[in-house]
Amino acid sequence: MSDTPYSACTSILIGKAASVDGSVMIGRNEDSRPAWPKHFIVHPAATTAEASFESTDNDFKMPLPEDACKYTATPEWTDKYGLFEEDGINQYGVAMSATESTYANDRVLAADPLVKDGIGEEAMVTVTLPYVKSAREGVKRLGTIVAHYGTSESNGILFADREEAWYFETGSGHYWVAQRIPDDSYAVIANQMAIQTIDFDDPENFMWHPHIQEFVREHALNPQRQGFNFREIFGTNSQMDAYYNLPRVWYGQKMFNPSVEQTTNSHHMPFVRQAEKLLSVEDAKAFLSSHFQETPYDPIGAGSVENRKRFRPVSLATTQESHILQLRQYPQPELSGIHWLAMGVAAQSVYVPFYAGITDTPADYQRGLGTYSPDSAYWVFKQAGVLVDPHYKQFGAQLKQTQQELNQQFGRSVMQTDEKAKALSGVELNALLTRESTKNAELALKKYRELTANLITQATAFSPLRYKQDLNL
């Protein structure tokens, strides 16, 4: 999502056999502008006769099913440019994150141009997540919409449930593919079409527009003599990829496969890998919060000025929110799903665990406009980052300590809440999960407000208007 061509997101998907606890996880940094608040809400289940969707951005419109299920979402503070609900978990335990902006090449766009009033990122969660009961069903629904109405952008979309994680990519105005992430594998994606070889004989692990092979043959789009490599046919391999996109994939794979040597901006890195160890939600947080630590390319590291500005990092100032949607192996969807949400820049914020069964979110998470206000969760976390930015050496350790304390408390809270919740169901279960999630959110806000107060107090000593008399005068 973006108001500029090259300000966009970073994603991660983890299969259930690749995680320490059997969770399926999908996560993404939503990047757009340095000051552009998000809200966090719960849509209740609803029945609406003759329901429909109409975009406030590009005139895309479509009818909707009458029955919409409950789901969480993170919409923009204004719907002037569209809703951009972006990420959520529904009452059936389906998670969706949309989108990872990508770029199609000129050959395919000449043959099948983007559709000005087709579906775009801002609408995808809203017209898909409330109407599906599995990740696979989500892929099929969105694929049908893209094929019928067309899309106004090239995007990657993440789906998950307790069993499967899927990555969906649009390659042109109407054509799309999707791949199931193998249970024992992970994928990291950074604004470049990622899916590689499509196996059209394996519908259990791949889905696609029904006429995509004919389209590619008819327009002579495949540069390879054999096979069907979606990235090579539909994607790009440009200088922007080399400096803006590929280094983030390199760093993610370096984190999880440290023994594998790869060129920083190699175009041949695989889409999926098996990590050298089982991955936890903390590993997903670490990747989405990363900025090339322990390399010469860290913007706040010790490398040369040139290297520190060479590559675009994963976590950066334009991140509006970062999320990890974790589907654990509990039978109750309300308990299974955790919507980990870090408002603002992930490297400077903290991931708060909200259970999928919540019926409401704290008031501070539902407000915040384009100008700073102290009662908005987005602005609370953003303000702390703004104070740390010019004084990382002095303030970085205090920020890290606050994050570590909260992460440990949230970990304990989840363990304790899980134990209490196992025997509950219905209204009692939802009430417990809402209460405990709210406590975690309020604790995060309290600790960050305390951090901000301390930083402001200490920053008064850094004024250039200080004066100390020279004893020789």
Side-chain angles (χ1 to χ4, degrees), residues 216-261:
V216 169
R217 276 197 304 268
E218 180 183 343
H219 297 282
L221 298 174
N222 193 345
Q224 307 296 326
R225 290 186 174 87
Q226 294 181 331
F228 192 103
N229 187 310
F230 181 77
R231 182 194 294 177
E232 296 294 337
I233 297 169
F234 287 83
T236 58
N237 183 9
S238 64
Q239 187 177 28
M240 188 194 81
D241 292 323
Y243 287 89
Y244 192 83
N245 302 331
L246 292 167
R248 285 177 279 156
V249 177
W250 166 79
Y251 191 73
Q253 295 192 2
K254 176 181 171 66
M255 288 178 67
F256 304 139
N257 293 87
S259 65
V260 176
E261 293 289 336

Side-chain angles (χ1 to χ4, degrees), residues 14-16 19 21-26 88-90 92-96 135 159-165 324-330 332-333 335-340 356:
I14 300 171
K16 63 181 180 180
S19 68
D21 61 352
S23 293
V24 177
M25 288 176 269
I26 57 174
I89 305 174
N90 75 16
Y92 300 108
V94 182
M96 179 179 177
F159 291 95
D161 54 31
R162 278 186 306 167
E163 301 300 321
E164 301 180 332
I324 299 161
L325 309 179
Q326 182 183 18
L327 292 314
R328 305 172 306 158
Q329 296 305 316
Y330 288 111
Q332 311 103 303
L335 178 60
S336 166
I338 298 182
H339 190 148
W340 296 89

Side-chain angles (χ1 to χ4, degrees), residues 259-325:
S259 65
V260 176
E261 293 289 336
Q262 299 183 116
T263 305
T264 311
N265 46 21
S266 168
H267 184 64
H268 300 291
M269 289 181 283
F271 171 44
V272 295
R273 276 199 182 280
Q274 294 178 340
E276 293 177 15
K277 65 180 182 68
L278 294 174
L279 302 176
S280 65
V281 70
E282 285 75 25
D283 291 309
K285 293 176 190 176
F287 170 65
L288 293 176
S289 302
S290 67
H291 41 86
F292 301 124
Q293 295 97 309
E294 300 180 15
T295 77
Y297 314 118
D298 186 348
I300 56 174
S304 67
V305 174
E306 183 180 23
N307 274 334
R308 283 187 278 127
K309 296 181 178 180
R310 188 177 298 275
F311 301 130
R312 187 267 210 208
V314 174
S315 184
L316 77 174
T318 56
T319 302
Q320 296 173 271
E321 55 85 20
S322 178
H323 55 270
I324 299 161
L325 309 179

Side-chain angles (χ1 to χ4, degrees), residues 43-64:
H43 287 287
T47 298
T48 307
E50 298 182 3
S52 64
F53 176 88
E54 184 168 350
S55 173
T56 58
D57 181 48
N58 71 338
D59 296 325
F60 167 71
K61 59 186 73 173
M62 66 172 287
L64 297 173

Side-chain angles (χ1 to χ4, degrees), residues 175 200 209-221 228:
Y175 291 92
F200 292 102
H209 185 292
H211 303 300
I212 194 168
Q213 290 172 282
E214 299 166 35
F215 168 72
V216 169
R217 276 197 304 268
E218 180 183 343
H219 297 282
L221 298 174
F228 192 103

Side-chain angles (χ1 to χ4, degrees), residues 3-19:
D3 66 328
T4 61
Y6 303 135
S7 175
C9 313
T10 309
S11 299
I12 184 169
L13 305 95
I14 300 171
K16 63 181 180 180
S19 68

